[in-house]
Amino acid sequence: MSAREDILNRIGAALRDAPAVPDIPRNYRRVSAMTAEQRLEQLVDRLVDYKASVFVVPAAEAAGKLAELLAGTASVVVPHGLPQEWLSALPPAGTDDAGSPAVAVDSPQRRLTVAELDAVDAVVTAAAVAVSETGTIMLDGSPSQGRRIISLVPDRHVCVLRAADIVEVLPEAVARLEATAPQTWISGPSATSDIELERVEGVHGPRTLDVLILQ
Amino acid sequence: MSGTFLGMPALPAYGHGNLNATEPFPKAAHRELGNAQLRANLGHATHTIRDKRLKVVAELPDWEDMRDSGSAIKNATMAQLPALLEQFEANFTARGGTIHWARDAQEANEIVTSLVRATGETEVVKVKSMATQEIGLNEYLEDQGIAAFETDLAELIVQLDHDKPSHILVPAIHKNRSQIREIFLREMEDVDPALTDEPARLAEAARRHLRKKFLTAKVAVSGANFGLADTGTLTVVESEGNGRMCLTLPDTLITVMGIEKLLPSWSDLEVFMQLLPRSSTGERMNPYTSLWTGVTPGDGPQNVHLVLLDNGRTAALADEMGRTALNCIRCSACMNVCPVYERTGGHAYGSTYPGPIGAILSPLMTGIKSEKNNSLPYASSLCGACFDACPVKINIPEILVHLRGEDVDSRRATIKVPTQMDLMMKGAEWAFSDGAHLGLLEKGLPLGRLAAGRDKVIKKLPGLAGKWTRSRDLPAPPGQSFRQWWARDHKAPDGVVPGTGTTNGTGTGSPTESEGGQA
Amino acid sequence: MKIALFATCIVDAMYPRTARATVAILERLGHEVVFPPGQACCGQMHVNSGYFKEALPVVANHVRAFDTDDYDVAVAPSGSCVASVKHQHELVARRCGDAALEARAAVVGAKTYELSQLLTDVLGVTDAARQLGSHFPHKVTYHPSCHGMRLLKLGDRQLKLLASVAGIELVELPEADQCCGFGGTFSLKNADVSGAMLEDKAANICGTGAELCTGGDASCLMHIGGGLSRQGSKVGTLHFAEILASTLDNPVPVAGDVQLAGGRR
Ligand code: SF4
């Protein structure tokens, strides 16, 4: 008998008493009771608590703010689907403008290697959805967010989030996400509490998380 | 509740590996209690995390609703486990993943080894995983010439120190910062000799130490927190990013997951990803959660495997009174609130699974008769703190008592000479199964008073009861029992005046008169 | 109301004053107290030690003694014994395959109350000083026993009753919700761990500067008192029923050579 059959048989025998399948109560909150304004405020509060830096600007100022945030950064990687206009305030690649980064685009045609990514200072991605109650930003691998590796290896992650994509509670986000997409849920920069349960930000994942929220 | 069933596979099929106490718990506890540094470290850590948990749990108005949902979802999972496993398998496989089934630790270790061999590699990076700890995978791989590098900070500390984890979430909870610094200085080749014991500096040292490993690793081994049957999705919950590194960078990913880790549907994650982080690290959400379903072309490992592990889980499932132990999501809240764990630490339990959940899960998986696991269900005062804290409402005290019953019954069947405890229980059965018997015995109370002597305190008792008087006195018994007083002296009052404090002057209104010697 | 007292074995044999205090309180409120003579023990020591077979006759005896229409409600001055009657008795009967006993145990369990539950929820006592004449001019700290707190969810019932006693000075016990380490045979089987828990509990109690520690379970108080006494502490332990029963005219003595439950004075 294969291990598979064997185990399934064992389970069948273990459940010989045919335990009832209970009804699942779902009395927890599944939709937000907050206004958009409150959600934004809550998300900012949570992210700051996680030691992320948060910037809230009108959507029209996205490019300017990004250019400001990236000033002094030598190199940046972006996924190929990142909205072009967000980078429009950066000087075009190749210009030898001191203080503006070299921008590498990761795409299905040109995937950056691990070594290349390790040499990059920052990554800019969009986000799929964010949960204000828990301060969580979800990336789902779509073209504006890119492969999981690009938001992992660079030491700084600049994540651009549309305020309209902020929900309050986790069930709202789970309903929006495609389960089978490769996902990373991010709540602050990498951290550990392994030493005396004291939280330390910055271990293996990006040690700096900047969140730019567009209103 | 266990037994053999005609026409069915031989049940129960018990688990093997690191699931055993190797010495009786009281003996191990005695040793660990003597370690003042350990007690100080544990006391500090458990109190810190308790406070954090209470704070974030209190934040949610619907925490109890969530616990109810979580508990019901897990019960539903167990009740439909075969169908859900098959559903998960179909979905995971459809998206390019490969599923392997392992009856026990040995089989799982062999599968992982052959998968690593097939890649031609001799090194793997590892994400913290209880399942691989349980099956002793690292040691097995080492024997096969494959080096496994733990990448979680606490696991790294434990591995570098050639020690064993003592907590399921914070495996190095028994070490303080200066001990960790010493370990790093001693064991990390590339370490900066000026390393301080600041947690941030220690974390930095770990980052440097592992960075190159991550960037060049070809094979990773992980566990999984949840498997979602209706989509075939796996989940790893972590903090440091070492999980993301292992789950994203290598070409090959091998995950080992217990068969009980399934949830029926994707949307169930909305419950468990609220319950788990708040219960475990006391955070609103853990820094990173990774989710993957088979293979995503161009993104992450392209050679993706999952080993579904039994190793005694079906034995636990076969125990109707104990099966809810499988609902455990390994948050560690129960051990963090446990007054016994707080004082003995995790090593005293022997098994990979320490604390209250370990005290039930280990003997359920191995059988109560395996090695010293029959001492584990007694490692609790039954205070119930674990049940209160458990996000999936596992009634741990009730299962502890059930397993004590299994132990007593199994010893009854094999051991012919009764223990002191057996005799005490037999005697108490006689005394307590009839009011007249107890009344008869109470006639002997004055003898106890005599034994107590002039200062009315008993300081030393013989035999088993001597364990009591090791650190406690016993007061002298009263001159007469309540039963005797009731029969002789109590008269129902006729003129009761509420609130006056006295009644009809017979003295029955107050317990303090005619003490009959209690004073 | 006709109230059946379940004294519990430990109070009956070791702390009769607690049962007498319970009787006094109830009679003061104008109720009739009866003592079903067949009673002995709830059986939790057997159950909690895994001796289900031995527990069965003990449980059966309790059900026999209390399964009558001769009273309205039953009360015991112990959270732990009431939790056993309410939650364990059915379980024991079921495990031993006695369906009839299981059904009768459920009936008895439903009629049984812990003392503070009965006083607060059924008898409407909110002000012990006014309704019971309770007077106790001492500095007291309070340990909520685990089973009352977690299995019966007594909440602050005992504490509120105590707070309404005239003259009492209640001081908060740090880490009050931590188990004292008794746990029945746990204190024998795992004597070292139990002792370590007791040590911390005793230190917390002594740190409050209270004259005595009260609570709702004689067994825990015996454990705590035994530890305090062994350490040579002057702090004693006393069941809250005795504090409620204490009056200006008839005070519970806590000074002189009175031996409290453990603890020396
Ligand atoms: S038993 Fe409950 S509290 Fe303990 S680790 Fe498992 S889920 Fe967490």
Side-chain angles (χ1 to χ4, degrees):
Chain A
M1 208 188 298
S2 73
R4 182 182 187 277
E5 274 173 82
D6 221 4
I7 293 172
L8 289 173
N9 279 338
R10 285 175 183 178
I11 300 171
L15 296 174
R16 68 205 173 280
D17 58 314
V21 181
D23 288 334
I24 316 286
R26 301 223 184 238
N27 299 325
Y28 53 88
R29 292 163 302 146
R30 303 186 84 180
V31 288
S32 176
M34 284 184 170
T35 64
E37 197 54 41
Q38 289 170 320
R39 287 196 292 269
L40 173 66
E41 194 183 315
Q42 189 181 42
L43 179 67
V44 172
D45 172 75
R46 301 305 197 237
L47 287 169
V48 167
D49 185 46
Y50 292 142
K51 306 274 180 342
S53 305
V54 189
F55 310 91
V56 184
V57 298
E61 291 168 27
K65 190 68 192 176
L66 260 183
E68 182 192 322
L69 287 175
L70 294 172
T73 307
S75 53
V76 173
V77 59
V78 300
H80 69 285
L82 194 78
Q84 287 293 324
E85 66 271 19
W86 289 354
L87 298 175
S88 59
L90 294 180
T95 42
D96 196 30
D97 183 1
S100 77
V103 179
V105 179
D106 185 79
S107 71
Q109 291 72 40
R110 170 76 177 89
R111 293 195 181 112
L112 272 66
T113 64
V114 176
E116 284 171 322
L117 285 167
D118 194 32
V120 165
D121 295 316
V123 55
V124 180
T125 72
V129 58
V131 179
S132 64
E133 185 172 73
T134 62
T136 306
I137 296 168
M138 281 95 164
L139 307 190
D140 65 4
S142 58
S144 65
Q145 296 147 50
R147 298 187 297 145
R148 284 172 287 172
I149 193 172
I150 68 166
S151 52
L152 172 62
V153 176
D155 204 15
R156 178 178 175 209
H157 183 186
V158 181
C159 188
V160 186
L161 173 73
R162 293 190 172 88
D165 290 327
I166 302 172
V167 298
E168 181 196 349
V169 292
L170 186 63
E172 296 172 291
V174 167
R176 282 211 201 183
L177 289 161
E178 169 59 45
T180 53
Q183 295 164 48
T184 309
W185 297 4
I186 297 172
S187 308
S190 72
T192 182
S193 299
D194 278 353
I195 302 166
E196 298 182 16
L197 274 306
E198 196 170 287
R199 188 176 158 112
V200 174
E201 280 79 17
V203 198
H204 304 295
R207 286 182 288 187
T208 307
L209 175 66
D210 294 337
V211 182
L212 177 57
I213 302 175
L214 307 182
Q215 274 186 310
Chain B
M1 304 282 129
S2 51
T4 45
F5 310 94
L6 295 173
M8 295 285 206
L11 267 183
Y14 289 124
H16 305 282
N18 299 327
L19 284 172
N20 274 292
T22 49
E23 59 186 333
F25 183 84
K27 200 171 155 216
H30 177 79
R31 184 184 53 244
E32 303 291 312
L33 279 168
N35 185 340
Q37 181 72 66
L38 174 77
R39 260 175 89 180
N41 294 355
L42 275 171
H44 170 71
T46 51
H47 282 80
T48 305
I49 196 146
R50 269 179 215 174
D51 295 345
K52 281 190 180 176
R53 189 188 75 87
L54 282 177
K55 207 171 127 241
V56 296
V57 162
E59 247 178 41
L60 295 186
D62 48 359
W63 181 252
E64 290 304 319
D65 294 320
M66 219 118 55
R67 287 178 81 209
D68 287 337
S69 303
S71 162
I73 292 168
K74 271 306 199 179
N75 286 337
T77 304
M78 298 313 153
Q80 323 169 73
L81 195 54
L84 293 175
L85 282 165
E86 288 179 294
Q87 190 188 13
F88 181 91
E89 178 183 45
N91 286 321
F92 191 78
T93 311
R95 301 186 71 96
T98 309
I99 300 240
H100 311 261
W101 299 72
R103 278 169 274 229
D104 53 25
Q106 175 72 19
E107 194 165 23
N109 286 331
E110 286 167 5
I111 292 168
V112 175
T113 305
S114 70
L115 290 172
V116 177
R117 286 247 166 83
T119 67
E121 296 294 319
T122 54
E123 282 188 9
V124 302
V125 285
K126 280 193 70 207
V127 196
K128 187 172 119 47
S129 133
M130 300 311 300
T132 59
Q133 195 71 249
E134 168 194 326
I135 61 177
L137 179 65
N138 290 5
E139 296 73 22
Y140 188 91
L141 288 176
E142 197 180 324
D143 282 350
Q144 306 295 314
I146 298 166
F149 295 93
E150 292 292 352
T151 63
D152 169 77
L153 177 53
E155 289 280 5
L156 174 71
I157 294 164
V158 167
Q159 194 179 39
L160 286 175
D161 197 33
H162 314 286
D163 192 5
K164 272 171 57 178
S166 69
H167 188 276
I168 63 175
L169 183 76
V170 195
I173 198 167
H174 56 296
K175 301 277 186 207
N176 65 21
R177 60 187 72 191
S178 67
Q179 293 169 311
I180 294 167
R181 172 176 171 267
E182 278 163 33
I183 295 167
F184 280 11
L185 287 176
R186 191 178 70 228
E187 302 284 342
M188 269 184 190
E189 295 149 12
D190 41 1
V191 77
D192 174 4
L195 183 69
T196 69
D197 67 1
E198 234 176 292
R201 296 282 76 76
L202 296 168
E204 160 101 39
R207 177 185 167 98
R208 288 225 190 114
H209 177 74
L210 286 172
R211 185 85 182 166
K212 192 150 159 267
K213 275 266 167 311
F214 284 135
L215 300 187
T216 56
K218 295 280 177 277
V219 183
V221 174
S222 84
N225 292 88
F226 306 107
L228 307 167
D230 68 344
T231 59
T233 306
L234 289 174
T235 315
V236 162
V237 175
E238 52 127 0
S239 297
E240 297 166 12
N242 64 308
R244 291 177 70 189
M245 290 280 179
C246 293
L247 300 169
T248 312
L249 269 51
D251 305 326
T252 299
L253 172 60
I254 305 163
T255 302
V256 181
M257 179 176 86
I259 51 174
E260 84 285 17
K261 294 267 145 204
L262 291 188
L263 299 175
S265 97
W266 161 250
S267 62
D268 293 327
L269 209 54
E270 72 191 26
V271 174
F272 287 86
M273 282 308 296
Q274 296 195 67
L275 290 174
L276 180 57
R278 287 184 199 253
S279 301
S280 58
T281 48
E283 292 168 307
R284 296 186 176 115
M285 189 65 88
N286 51 293
Y288 297 135
T289 299
S290 295
L291 299 116
W292 73 100
T293 308
V295 174
T296 305
D299 185 350
Q302 299 298 296
N303 184 21
V304 175
H305 297 266
L306 174 67
V307 181
L308 286 169
L309 178 69
D310 177 358
N311 201 39
R313 284 161 178 78
T314 52
L317 190 67
D319 186 329
E320 289 170 42
M321 294 286 298
R323 67 166 59 121
T324 52
L326 292 174
N327 295 0
C328 173
I329 58 172
R330 312 279 189 263
C331 72
S332 77
C334 58
M335 58 202 73
N336 294 334
V337 300
C338 177
V340 176
Y341 177 90
E342 175 191 344
R343 289 171 178 85
T344 66
H347 291 159
Y349 297 78
S351 164
T352 296
Y353 304 106
I357 183 62
I360 57 173
L361 198 56
S362 307
L364 280 166
M365 288 170 72
T366 63
I368 194 77
K369 290 188 216 155
S370 178
E371 287 197 55
K372 301 293 186 264
N373 275 0
N374 66 349
S375 69
L376 294 178
Y378 299 95
S380 165
S381 66
L382 304 179
C383 78
C386 48
F387 183 23
D388 266 12
C390 178
V392 288
K393 300 180 96 164
I394 300 170
N395 191 336
I396 296 176
E398 196 172 287
I399 301 178
L400 285 166
V401 167
H402 159 66
L403 290 171
R404 292 176 187 184
E406 297 280 285
D407 173 50
V408 168
D409 289 345
S410 88
R411 284 188 297 107
R412 231 195 273 280
T414 51
I415 301 168
K416 293 287 167 271
V417 187
T419 63
Q420 271 193 60
M421 184 67 84
D422 293 340
L423 293 173
M424 185 174 115
M425 291 295 159
K426 205 70 209 157
E429 177 192 352
W430 180 82
F432 293 154
S433 58
D434 191 331
H437 294 175
L438 185 56
L440 197 67
L441 279 178
E442 284 166 358
K443 293 206 160 69
L445 288 173
L447 283 176
R449 284 180 77 71
L450 215 60
R454 284 194 51 204
D455 58 358
K456 310 219 170 66
V457 172
I458 298 168
K459 294 217 166 270
K460 198 160 170 47
L461 288 167
L464 187 58
K467 302 239 176 169
W468 174 276
T469 45
R470 231 198 268 168
S471 46
R472 312 151 192 92
D473 292 341
L474 199 65
Q480 68 172 352
S481 70
F482 174 78
R483 188 183 305 267
Q484 290 161 349
W485 173 85
W486 178 271
R488 283 180 209 153
D489 300 328
H490 176 260
K491 295 169 196 73
D494 36 37
V496 183
V497 189
T500 59
T502 50
T503 54
N504 55 6
T506 61
T508 55
S510 164
T512 58
E513 291 180 17
S514 57
E515 273 308 296
Q518 183 159 357
Chain C
M1 191 177 275
K2 198 166 175 182
I3 302 169
L5 173 67
F6 170 35
T8 77
C9 64
I10 184 169
V11 164
D12 178 18
M14 290 294 287
Y15 301 101
R17 257 174 34 179
T18 299
R20 290 167 57 182
T22 305
V23 173
I25 294 165
L26 297 174
E27 289 183 347
R28 244 181 257 166
L29 288 167
H31 300 288
E32 184 190 348
V33 179
V34 294
F35 181 78
Q39 65 175 279
C41 169
C42 66
Q44 67 167 310
M45 178 182 77
H46 285 107
V47 178
N48 290 344
S49 306
Y51 288 78
F52 285 88
K53 197 174 132 245
E54 287 78 1
L56 188 66
V58 181
V59 169
N61 177 67
H62 182 85
V63 171
R64 209 181 305 123
F66 282 86
D67 185 18
T68 74
D69 293 331
D70 191 34
Y71 66 92
D72 301 309
V73 294
V75 68
S78 159
S80 160
C81 304
V82 171
S84 169
V85 170
K86 280 186 170 309
H87 304 307
Q88 280 186 338
H89 283 192
E90 286 174 79
L91 209 75
V92 171
R94 197 176 322 142
R95 196 179 161 118
C96 297
D98 191 336
L101 181 64
E102 187 182 338
R104 289 168 65 212
V107 174
V108 172
K111 280 168 82 174
T112 307
Y113 291 81
E114 182 277 335
L115 179 59
S116 71
Q117 249 177 349
L118 182 73
L119 292 176
T120 310
D121 302 358
V122 182
L123 304 182
V125 177
T126 51
D127 184 342
R130 191 175 53 80
Q131 292 165 280
L132 297 168
S134 310
H135 177 87
F136 194 73
H138 300 282
K139 189 169 176 179
V140 175
T141 193
Y142 165 74
H143 166 68
S145 281
C146 301
H147 290 176
M149 173 170 61
R150 301 205 178 87
L151 295 178
L152 294 182
K153 308 262 179 257
L154 292 182
D156 57 4
R157 285 182 180 81
Q158 294 175 353
L159 200 58
K160 273 204 170 136
L161 288 169
L162 285 164
S164 70
V165 170
I168 198 167
E169 185 191 346
L170 267 176
V171 284
E172 197 185 320
L173 177 64
E175 310 233 285
D177 65 344
Q178 292 297 299
C179 178
C180 71
F182 174 58
T185 50
F186 172 76
S187 59
L188 307 180
K189 281 215 170 223
N190 278 283
D192 295 320
V193 186
S194 168
M197 290 161 69
L198 176 57
E199 220 174 86
D200 294 345
K201 180 59 74 183
N204 277 325
I205 290 170
C206 293
T208 64
E211 293 166 64
L212 45 88
C213 174
T214 187
D217 270 278
S219 49
C220 308
L221 294 175
M222 174 172 82
H223 185 243
I224 295 170
L228 289 165
S229 163
R230 173 59 55 90
Q231 292 170 16
S233 165
K234 293 264 180 283
V235 183
T237 56
L238 188 65
H239 195 283
F240 83 94
E242 295 183 58
I243 294 181
L244 295 186
S246 176
T247 63
L248 195 58
D249 299 338
N250 233 331
V252 168
V254 295
D257 65 346
V258 173
Q259 170 67 49
L260 297 171
R264 268 178 304 179
R265 308 209 126 253

